[in-house]
Amino acid sequence: MRKWNVAGRRLLSVNRLSPSTCFLPPLHRPPGPFHQVVKRSKTTTPENDLEVRIAEIPIERYRNFCIVAHVDHGKSTLSDRLLEITGTIKPGGNKQILDKLDVERERGITVKAQTCTMLYNHNGDDYLLHLVDTPGHVDFRAEVSRSYASCGGALLLVDASQGVQAQTVANFYLAFAQGLTLVPVVNKIDLPSADPPRALEQLEATFELDPSTAVLVSAKTGVNVESLLPSIIKYIPCPIGDSSKPLKFLLVDSWYSNYKGVILLVRVFDGKIRAGDAVVSLVTGMKYYVGEVGIMYPDQTPQQVIRAGQVGYIFFNPGMKRSQEAKVGDTYTHVGMESKVELLPGFEEPKPMVFVAAYPVDQSDYGHLEDSINQIVLNDRSVSLHKESSDALGAGWRIGFLGTLHCSVFEDRLRQEHGASIIITPPSVPCKVIWTDGKESIITNPAEFPEVEQMRQRVAELQEPYVAATITLPEEYLGKVIELCELNRGEQTEIQFFTATQVILKYDIPLSQLVDDFFGKLKGATKGYASLDYEEGGFRKSNIVKLQLLVNKEPVDAVSRVVHTSQTERLGRKWVKKFKEHVDRQMFEVVIQATAGRKIVARETLKPFRKDVLAKLHASDISRRRKLLEQQKEGKKKLRALGSVSIDHESFQKFLAK
């Protein structure tokens, strides 16, 4: 006789009986499979010193905070120093311990918001501190806004040598809108170019933050970092929650483990959660059995219970196998308590602004690549995913990102973490079509863009997306930056001199220009001193057209893009010239053209292989020579009419490579 658990898997067999389950008197034997699962998944390790210390700390001595700043202002380095001071990690170990992805260590940037719990003794009392290290680049703003949901305050970090920059401004207003308490911190005071008084003056002038509450530190050398912890305890409020109320926790983040299934990072608002509890999602209505609970200290450290006010991880037993079930922003409670718990406000996920098409190099790898993409999308909810197919490249996906760096990091993670071989098309942006009957359509795939006949008969208006860009730069580069913005069809909305040397420029720029390496050009024009932040600016009427490539009058669907008419000739020439380099010569002439609507904007011709038909003639008449050349010409014309150009994957890969 065999027992089965709730997932339908065999749990016990006759020759593997559990004494605690099967040798009890009949009346005391657990009545159903749920109890067997609980018995098996419950942790039996005794409480360690860490659990004892945490259990004795009341919620009034909890502090949940995150570190926000512009990119490269020293957030991850400051996190390391705080972890060392609180004894969470040993001094002098690995740098940027919270940057766990290979791509983060390789590029030196934070991509995923990472969490860690710390214990700190202040004036004889233990405090439970929960730290979130957030990304600084604008493309990962969704990670920052999600981190704010689990925090009561934030450290607003400013580089003493750079001062307030664009993303500092964006993070401040994001935190201010959510009512978080901000503690200003000036970092890198050890640098020769550091100017702390200027940074404090900017903080006061721009954000009206009291300079007397600011803490001056050097995260790299550790100078004055210890004085930051008392400021966190003094200024950041404790979380609000009650452990005696029905369980209510928010799903903040999730990631996938091959052994445990989906692991959830949760913020507990009310009640307690322990291994063996049966919980239910208020959004999907699906029920699960908790297999393990714990805290990040700094790695996954199992605990017997997580209480109200804490942030920790949980995974289920049987594991959550479908990544689509883990909806970030979902509320969970105990089974049977659904009516007593209100749904917590979730997160407003940002809309993708940049789209690429992705295809496997070898179509036999499609299944493996699909699994890899789904696992990364589980960990990054701001990515949108739709299946599509191409005549030239086969089955693939249309993937939406928040920006070009977001796209580049996603591609690197696919290659490094999953060993994927992938072809990615250049980034494109969505456009809006307003039809003559009043309906509106958002087009993300250039293949769906209206044809010339449709444009004349059914389309009333075409619109492209704009962004409201905020550029912070030194005053000496103002002329170059204005010129760059004007060249990229930008419209100036505001210019503000917020210090004697720093300028804030605000421009409305088409998103298509922004994804065309605008940030790289901006850095080049200002020697790296300018910073950029942007937000959606809606759609505006625009003169846009589909630019596509024709090979012997046949369209190549993998190479098409919706662009402004002012860009068609420049891009068309660039495309045909580059494509000619990667197409093999044929026995007949190959004509490569770039078309915008019905207009040919650029052309290159690939000459055919030719046999020297005059080689056997020596002292022949001119008419004889002309006759042979005409025969060859007719043969080539016939071959061109019948022959087709086959373009292999390698040629597409080389053409689409940057």
Side-chain angles (χ1 to χ4, degrees), residues 171-235:
N171 284 331
F172 169 80
Y173 286 116
L174 206 58
F176 187 76
Q178 298 204 19
L180 296 188
T181 304
L182 290 168
V183 177
V185 181
V186 178
N187 190 23
K188 302 188 182 181
I189 58 172
D190 58 310
L191 293 180
S193 58
D195 190 355
R198 179 177 69 105
L200 291 171
E201 181 191 331
Q202 289 178 359
L203 282 167
E204 186 177 19
T206 314
F207 309 130
E208 297 180 1
L209 293 174
D210 186 359
S212 64
T213 63
V215 185
L216 307 182
V217 301
S218 168
K220 186 177 179 181
T221 60
V223 172
N224 207 34
V225 177
E226 282 192 22
S227 63
L228 187 56
L229 289 164
S231 295
I232 291 168
I233 291 168
K234 180 179 178 182
Y235 294 114

Side-chain angles (χ1 to χ4, degrees), residues 327-373:
K327 297 187 180 295
V328 172
D330 194 356
T331 306
Y332 288 75
T333 186
H334 281 134
V335 173
M337 292 292 182
E338 297 92 327
S339 60
K340 298 181 181 179
V341 173
E342 290 184 4
L343 197 67
L344 290 163
F347 307 111
E348 184 184 346
E349 291 295 347
K351 296 173 185 173
M353 302 175 80
V354 174
F355 291 85
V356 301
Y359 303 93
V361 172
D362 185 352
Q363 280 294 312
S364 62
D365 293 337
Y366 182 88
H368 168 67
L369 187 58
E370 185 173 31
D371 291 341
S372 304
I373 288 174

Side-chain angles (χ1 to χ4, degrees), residues 445-649:
N445 187 346
E448 297 168 5
F449 193 79
E451 297 298 332
V452 178
E453 291 76 13
Q454 280 185 305
M455 294 276 287
R456 289 178 178 173
Q457 298 169 10
R458 297 183 53 208
V459 176
E461 190 175 295
L462 293 170
Q463 297 183 346
E464 68 172 329
Y466 272 67
V467 292
T470 302
I471 303 167
T472 311
L473 69 150
E475 189 219 358
E476 61 192 280
Y477 301 111
L478 182 60
K480 288 183 180 178
V481 173
I482 289 177
E483 186 182 346
L484 176 67
C485 293
E486 299 291 340
L487 284 172
N488 284 274
R489 300 192 288 129
E491 298 173 12
Q492 190 180 121
T493 57
E494 188 183 336
I495 182 168
Q496 178 187 347
F497 291 80
F498 76 102
T499 65
T501 57
Q502 289 290 106
V503 183
I504 294 180
L505 261 182
K506 293 191 177 179
Y507 263 86
D508 288 343
I509 299 175
L511 181 57
S512 57
Q513 301 294 132
L514 195 77
V515 302
D516 190 19
D517 197 29
F518 178 81
F519 190 55
K521 295 170 188 170
L522 179 67
K523 285 286 184 186
T526 60
K527 298 181 181 176
Y529 282 107
S531 60
L532 173 72
D533 177 51
Y534 60 88
E535 56 188 31
E536 289 182 63
F539 285 86
R540 297 189 189 180
K541 184 178 178 180
S542 182
N543 192 7
I544 53 178
V545 67
K546 179 165 80 170
L547 182 68
Q548 62 180 350
L549 212 59
L550 304 183
V551 176
N552 277 1
K553 298 185 180 177
E554 290 295 321
V556 182
D557 64 340
V559 186
S560 60
R561 191 166 153 193
V562 177
V563 298
H564 192 265
T565 48
S566 62
Q567 310 288 318
T568 52
E569 287 191 21
R570 179 184 65 84
L571 264 179
R573 287 198 192 100
K574 182 181 171 185
W575 279 10
V576 295
K577 192 174 180 182
K578 191 174 180 183
F579 204 72
K580 182 183 177 182
E581 296 170 7
H582 302 301
V583 176
D584 296 329
R585 284 178 71 188
Q586 309 288 329
M587 293 301 293
F588 51 89
E589 185 179 73
V590 177
V591 177
I592 303 167
Q593 298 168 311
T595 65
R598 284 185 172 172
K599 183 182 177 185
I600 307 290
V601 294
R603 169 180 168 143
E604 287 283 344
T605 304
L606 200 61
K607 296 294 181 185
F609 290 117
R610 287 187 62 188
K611 180 183 175 183
D612 188 2
V613 292
L614 305 180
K616 59 185 179 182
L617 300 179
H618 298 288
S620 61
D621 184 63
I622 185 68
S623 60
R624 173 68 177 152
R625 291 169 179 266
R626 199 170 286 154
K627 181 182 176 184
L628 288 172
L629 288 171
E630 286 296 325
Q631 283 178 350
Q632 185 187 45
K633 190 176 178 182
E634 288 298 317
K636 292 288 182 187
K637 194 181 289 184
K638 187 176 180 181
L639 191 61
R640 181 179 168 187
L642 297 173
S644 62
V645 184
S646 61
I647 305 164
D648 59 358
H649 274 238

Side-chain angles (χ1 to χ4, degrees), residues 30-330:
F34 164 66
H35 293 275
Q36 294 169 14
V37 174
V38 174
K39 187 71 183 176
R40 189 160 179 176
S41 59
K42 191 178 277 187
T43 52
T44 55
T45 54
E47 287 189 350
N48 52 29
D49 293 339
L50 180 67
E51 284 187 286
V52 171
R53 286 183 69 185
I54 291 174
E56 292 173 352
I57 301 174
I59 193 170
E60 291 75 22
R61 295 210 297 271
Y62 289 2
R63 297 291 185 272
N64 298 338
F65 67 97
C66 56
I67 305 177
V68 293
H70 189 81
V71 65
D72 202 30
H73 277 206
K75 295 179 295 298
S76 298
T77 309
L78 182 61
S79 301
D80 287 352
R81 297 294 85 76
L82 292 174
L83 294 177
E84 287 174 5
I85 290 168
T86 56
T88 311
I89 61 171
K90 293 180 181 177
N94 292 330
K95 293 181 180 179
Q96 274 89 32
I97 197 163
L98 293 182
D99 287 347
K100 296 178 181 177
L101 300 175
D102 292 339
V103 69
E104 291 180 316
R105 294 182 178 278
E106 186 181 292
R107 291 173 178 249
I109 59 172
T110 303
V111 170
K112 283 293 298 175
Q114 299 291 352
T115 66
C116 187
T117 298
M118 305 176 289
L119 282 170
Y120 178 65
N121 191 280
H122 178 63
N123 294 336
D125 292 324
D126 276 342
Y127 283 81
L128 188 72
L129 308 179
H130 179 75
L131 159 73
V132 184
D133 178 24
T134 62
H137 197 278
V138 60
D139 282 9
F140 307 105
R141 188 189 293 166
E143 293 287 323
V144 181
S145 61
R146 197 179 301 147
S147 303
Y148 285 162
S150 60
C151 297
L155 304 182
L156 187 66
L157 199 63
V158 175
D159 186 333
S161 60
Q162 299 286 343
V164 170
Q165 291 189 279
Q167 197 57 31
T168 319
V169 179
N171 284 331
F172 169 80
Y173 286 116
L174 206 58
F176 187 76
Q178 298 204 19
L180 296 188
T181 304
L182 290 168
V183 177
V185 181
V186 178
N187 190 23
K188 302 188 182 181
I189 58 172
D190 58 310
L191 293 180
S193 58
D195 190 355
R198 179 177 69 105
L200 291 171
E201 181 191 331
Q202 289 178 359
L203 282 167
E204 186 177 19
T206 314
F207 309 130
E208 297 180 1
L209 293 174
D210 186 359
S212 64
T213 63
V215 185
L216 307 182
V217 301
S218 168
K220 186 177 179 181
T221 60
V223 172
N224 207 34
V225 177
E226 282 192 22
S227 63
L228 187 56
L229 289 164
S231 295
I232 291 168
I233 291 168
K234 180 179 178 182
Y235 294 114
I236 292 178
C238 64
I240 299 169
D242 188 347
S243 297
S244 61
K245 287 185 178 179
L247 174 69
K248 179 167 67 173
F249 66 85
L250 179 73
L251 174 53
V252 178
D253 200 359
S254 59
W255 60 94
Y256 191 84
S257 162
N258 288 330
Y259 303 103
K260 299 173 182 177
V262 180
I263 301 175
L264 313 180
L265 184 73
V266 300
R267 155 79 155 91
V268 183
F269 282 87
D270 288 315
K272 301 176 184 176
I273 183 168
R274 58 180 79 238
D277 286 357
V279 297
V280 60
S281 160
L282 295 188
V283 172
T284 65
M286 301 189 74
K287 298 174 183 177
Y288 306 95
Y289 302 93
V290 179
E292 182 179 289
V293 301
I295 57 173
M296 306 299 289
Y297 188 76
D299 298 314
Q300 293 176 23
T301 306
Q303 302 282 293
Q304 291 196 353
V305 64
I306 301 180
R307 299 172 182 82
Q310 281 188 270
V311 178
Y313 74 89
I314 65 172
F315 64 82
F316 303 124
N317 186 7
M320 182 191 284
K321 296 299 180 189
R322 292 179 65 247
S323 55
Q324 292 81 4
E325 295 173 25
K327 297 187 180 295
V328 172
D330 194 356

